[in-house]
Amino acid sequence: MEKKNIDWGNLGFEYIQTDKRYVSNYKNGAWDEGGLTSDATVAIMECAGVLQYSQSCFEGLKAYTTEDGRIVTFRPDLNAERMEASARRLEMPVFPKERFLEAVDQVVAANAAYVPPYGSGATLYLRPFMFGSDAVIGVKPSHEYQFRLFATPVGPYFKGGAKPITIRVSDYDRAAPHGTGHIKAGLNYAMSLHAIVEAHSQGYDENMYLDAATRTKVEETGGANFIFVTKDHKVVTPKSGSILPSITRRSLMYVAEHYLGLEAEEREVSFAEVKDFAECGLCGTAAVISPVGKIVDHGKEICFPSGMEKMGPVIQKLYDTLTGIQMGRVEAPEGWIREIKVD
């Protein structure tokens, strides 16, 4: 199989159309058989539920070329399960887990020429999503839905790769208690757009959101979970009912404990204790881990000892181990890697 003529080492985190995507429609209480298509356009009516009431959810995962040349995905079963949870919360029909995994396999195999080569620093990003497609004028769930999954080769999420970033404490709330912060709904990201544009205009890379109820506890950013490292090398991640359960974060906490022999703890993290941590990182599918060098709280700077030049030592080990698992350099726990068969 010949790879596409793409400058893999200089890709940004932007959409590039690939050859095939998967589509399945839900109508009369059932999903159709679905399949691959070359058509990248979506045709929906003006009164579609997704356009009127934002009834949509999505996922994000990646395919990789391993050191020995295989094409694999990383824990796609957890993406399938999280999408099921999102659909239930939004009164959408569940797209079955096995069909989700089959769709991932088909899309990656059909676009194998777009999977970046090992060592390029790029990956094939996969975006499954679902939306209400029939006419809804009253406030109620749609009756018809479409599930789609496309692929696009991408480079690093943040410009400059894994260099430490600067973030600010946001005055906006990301998610309300008992709301939808714990699911991957499009509406959660729509409300974060003003905050991130404002942050960028002020010279910051991201926002730190605090809990909406008390504004004293750390939650997450607009698109990633936090990981902190204490001065005695304990790995800590915030716990809250309104934080999205990141698959990358869960994997990193496992790696910390079982591969690196570190104590790993998920608990409430007060903003007051952030200044006492030795390292900070943002973790998610897109970036894996982006180190944070500085947090600015309305002019007051919190500078982590790890500095602005490179990852801190613990976060570097976490990053190297997890990417090593994804790329086949480190033996993976059972069930974490799903190999894609390519003809």
Side-chain angles (χ1 to χ4, degrees):
M1 176 201 60
E2 185 177 349
K3 294 290 186 182
K4 296 291 183 178
N5 184 23
I6 294 173
D7 185 0
W8 306 107
N10 288 308
L11 285 175
F13 199 85
E14 298 172 350
Y15 174 77
I16 296 174
Q17 185 173 317
T18 53
D19 295 338
K20 298 289 185 178
R21 66 274 311 135
Y22 181 95
V23 181
S24 180
N25 291 288
Y26 182 90
K27 190 174 183 179
N28 297 323
W31 290 101
D32 66 17
E33 64 180 11
L36 295 175
T37 177
S38 299
D39 189 356
T41 61
V42 178
I44 53 177
M45 66 186 312
E46 61 188 355
C47 199
V50 64
L51 300 179
Q52 305 309 315
Y53 304 119
S54 300
Q55 199 181 16
S56 68
C57 61
F58 70 99
E59 275 299 321
L61 64 156
K62 289 179 175 179
Y64 311 83
T65 301
T66 62
E67 190 172 31
D68 60 4
R70 294 174 298 133
I71 295 177
V72 303
T73 51
F74 180 72
R75 309 191 79 179
D77 55 316
L78 297 189
N79 293 97
E81 291 168 7
R82 191 169 63 181
M83 193 166 194
E84 288 181 352
S86 296
R88 290 191 182 98
R89 178 64 177 81
L90 295 172
E91 289 297 325
M92 302 170 77
V94 165
F95 193 71
K97 178 178 176 178
E98 287 308 312
R99 290 201 56 188
F100 181 103
L101 295 174
E102 181 181 302
V104 168
D105 291 352
Q106 288 186 31
V107 169
V108 175
N111 294 295
Y114 290 93
V115 181
Y118 174 79
S120 65
T123 53
L124 186 72
Y125 185 80
L126 304 169
R127 172 54 59 85
F129 63 107
M130 188 196 307
F131 57 88
S133 56
D134 63 320
V136 177
I137 197 65
V139 180
K140 60 183 179 180
S142 301
H143 292 102
E144 298 177 9
Y145 296 85
Q146 187 169 105
F147 170 89
R148 297 179 72 95
L149 194 160
F150 66 81
T152 182
V154 297
Y157 187 74
F158 289 103
K159 292 179 180 178
K163 290 194 68 174
I165 61 175
T166 301
I167 66 177
R168 69 167 188 173
V169 176
S170 179
D171 289 325
Y172 301 102
D173 294 326
R174 176 190 162 270
H178 314 297
T180 57
H182 63 295
I183 64 169
K184 208 164 177 65
L187 56 91
N188 293 340
Y189 295 80
M191 60 71 53
S192 75
L193 296 178
H194 177 70
I196 192 61
V197 169
E198 186 178 273
H200 287 167
S201 72
Q202 295 174 7
Y204 302 106
D205 296 290
E206 252 293 1
N207 290 289
M208 169 183 275
Y209 291 106
L210 304 179
D211 73 291
T214 70
R215 298 196 58 77
T216 62
K217 301 166 190 172
V218 177
E219 292 254 306
E220 60 171 283
T221 70
N225 285 184
F226 278 101
I227 279 188
F228 298 102
V229 181
T230 66
K231 291 175 181 175
D232 60 354
H233 293 178
K234 179 190 293 185
V235 180
V236 177
T237 189
K239 182 177 183 178
S240 165
S242 53
I243 290 177
L244 184 73
S246 163
I247 294 161
T248 304
R249 184 205 68 199
R250 283 179 272 173
S251 302
L252 287 167
M253 296 299 277
Y254 183 93
V255 164
E257 186 174 359
H258 297 278
Y259 280 70
L260 303 181
L262 303 174
E263 188 175 348
E265 183 179 24
E266 182 184 3
R267 62 168 173 83
E268 290 187 346
V269 175
S270 69
F271 179 67
E273 67 178 302
V274 169
K275 67 182 185 304
D276 299 321
F277 289 120
E279 300 175 43
C280 174
L282 308 183
C283 60
T285 297
V288 184
I289 309 179
S290 289
V292 176
K294 183 191 301 182
I295 297 174
V296 180
D297 178 20
H298 301 85
K300 183 180 178 181
E301 294 186 351
I302 299 173
C303 299
F304 294 100
S306 50
M308 291 297 298
E309 295 303 315
K310 59 182 181 180
M311 287 186 177
V314 174
I315 284 181
Q316 186 70 63
K317 289 178 183 176
L318 288 168
Y319 177 87
D320 290 344
T321 307
L322 187 62
T323 55
I325 290 170
Q326 292 169 336
M327 299 293 180
R329 298 188 300 268
V330 176
E331 185 175 354
E334 185 176 353
W336 278 28
I337 300 298
R338 183 178 176 95
E339 185 172 351
I340 308 298
K341 302 299 183 184
V342 180
D343 294 333

